[in-house]
């Protein structure tokens, strides 16, 4: 098992669109929708609010206390090729860092993230990727982490041919992982306090 240990909102109406049907106070576990709430799918009247919510999510610093891969089978077979454990682990770590979740960040909030499931399958001319992350959360001054909450990310990419299966699968999985990490950060907006108040004042 790949396992790395590291040292140490109220929601607006537009943010509710971002987290859709998820409304738990600390962590939000939710099903994904295709294309991961890309801004092009958001109605024009809500797009500015969506973009602000994404900016807030990225601005919120969170310490990554642990990142682990607990899947029983580490490699994904895609046609005649495969996505290795290291590829998926790196994609997940990069996605978290892009959303301001990192072991190098000293923040009041911290999370432990576990890659629970990942799979890619072809459906007609599309390649569908799904990722399932389990997340434990510890807010400022808390002694223990919360029970694990599940976040799912999904993407659908056009499969352009057998010879490009591996690259299409990587892109599909990257988008699915990004979908899940956006959901994780959106669920923590109400705990980000000072980091968000500066953004709202702009």
């Amino acid at each position: 098992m790949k396992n790395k240990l590291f040292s140490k909102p109220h929601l607006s109406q537009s943010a509710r669109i971002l987290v859709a049907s998820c409304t738990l106070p600390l962590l939000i576990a939710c099903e994904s929708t295709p294309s991961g709430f890309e801004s092009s799918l958001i109605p024009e009247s809500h797009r500015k609010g969506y973009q602000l919510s994404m900016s807030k999510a990225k601005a919120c610093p969170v310490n990554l206390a642990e990142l682990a891969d607990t899947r029983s089978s580490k490699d994904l077979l895609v046609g005649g090729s495969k996505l290795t454990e290291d590829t998926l682990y790196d994609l997940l770590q990069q996605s978290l860092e892009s959303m301001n979740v990192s072991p190098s960040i000293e923040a009041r909030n911290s999370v432990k993230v576990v890659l629970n499931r990942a799979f890619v399958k072809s459906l007609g001319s599309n390649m569908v990727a799904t990722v399932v992350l389990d997340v434990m959360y510890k807010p400022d001054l808390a002694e223990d982490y919360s029970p694990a909450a599940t976040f799912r990310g999904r993407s659908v990419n056009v499969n352009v041919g057998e010879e490009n299966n591996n690259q299409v699968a990587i892109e599909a999985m990257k988008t699915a992982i990004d979908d899940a990490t956006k959901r994780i950060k959106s669920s923590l907006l109400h705990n980000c306090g000072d980091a968000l108040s500066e953004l709202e004042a702009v």
Side-chain angles (χ1 to χ4, degrees):
M1 177 181 74
K2 192 160 191 173
N3 187 348
K4 294 186 179 180
L5 295 177
F6 304 110
S7 21
K8 193 175 168 129
H10 70 270
L11 294 176
S12 66
Q13 183 175 0
S14 57
R16 291 192 188 97
I17 293 171
L18 174 67
V19 297
S21 59
C22 312
T23 53
L24 291 179
L26 286 181
L27 281 176
I28 300 172
C30 56
E31 298 293 334
S32 70
T33 56
S35 302
F37 290 112
E38 293 299 329
S39 59
S40 60
L41 301 180
I42 303 296
E44 183 66 34
S45 59
H46 299 295
R47 195 167 298 168
K48 186 175 180 180
Y50 165 82
Q51 292 169 344
L52 177 61
S53 296
M54 277 293 93
S55 295
K56 287 182 177 180
K58 289 182 179 180
C60 177
V62 177
N63 172 257
L64 179 61
E66 182 177 344
L67 181 59
D69 183 350
T70 61
R71 294 171 301 142
S72 55
S73 178
K74 303 296 186 185
D75 296 336
L76 291 181
L77 294 179
V78 184
S81 56
K82 67 181 180 179
L83 300 186
T84 65
E85 173 189 7
D86 286 342
T87 298
L88 292 176
Y89 192 90
D90 289 344
L91 288 174
L92 178 54
Q93 189 171 43
Q94 290 166 13
S95 181
L96 288 167
E97 288 178 352
S98 73
M99 292 300 292
N100 212 6
V101 181
S102 169
S104 62
I105 294 175
E106 294 185 7
R108 296 177 179 178
N109 301 315
S110 64
V111 292
K112 295 180 179 180
V113 179
V114 176
L115 177 56
N116 185 295
R117 295 181 66 196
F119 52 91
V120 179
K121 61 182 178 181
S122 295
L123 290 177
S125 60
N126 293 326
M127 186 171 286
V128 180
T130 303
V131 63
V132 179
L133 304 178
D134 291 336
V135 179
M136 291 151 283
Y137 168 69
K138 185 166 74 69
D140 186 29
L141 302 180
E143 294 184 1
D144 301 312
Y145 282 85
S146 69
T150 300
F151 293 80
R152 290 175 174 81
R154 186 172 180 265
S155 71
V156 180
N157 285 36
V158 176
N159 190 353
V160 294
E162 184 69 28
E163 67 280 4
N164 294 310
N165 260 350
N166 191 262
Q167 188 57 42
V168 174
I170 289 174
E171 290 301 320
M173 186 54 63
K174 179 182 184 303
T175 303
I177 289 173
D178 288 346
D179 183 24
T181 56
K182 286 176 183 178
R183 296 175 188 280
I184 293 170
K185 286 303 295 293
S186 297
S187 75
L188 301 176
L189 282 176
H190 63 293
N191 288 307
C192 287
D194 296 340
L196 301 185
S197 59
E198 295 179 7
L199 204 65
E200 291 172 336
V202 175

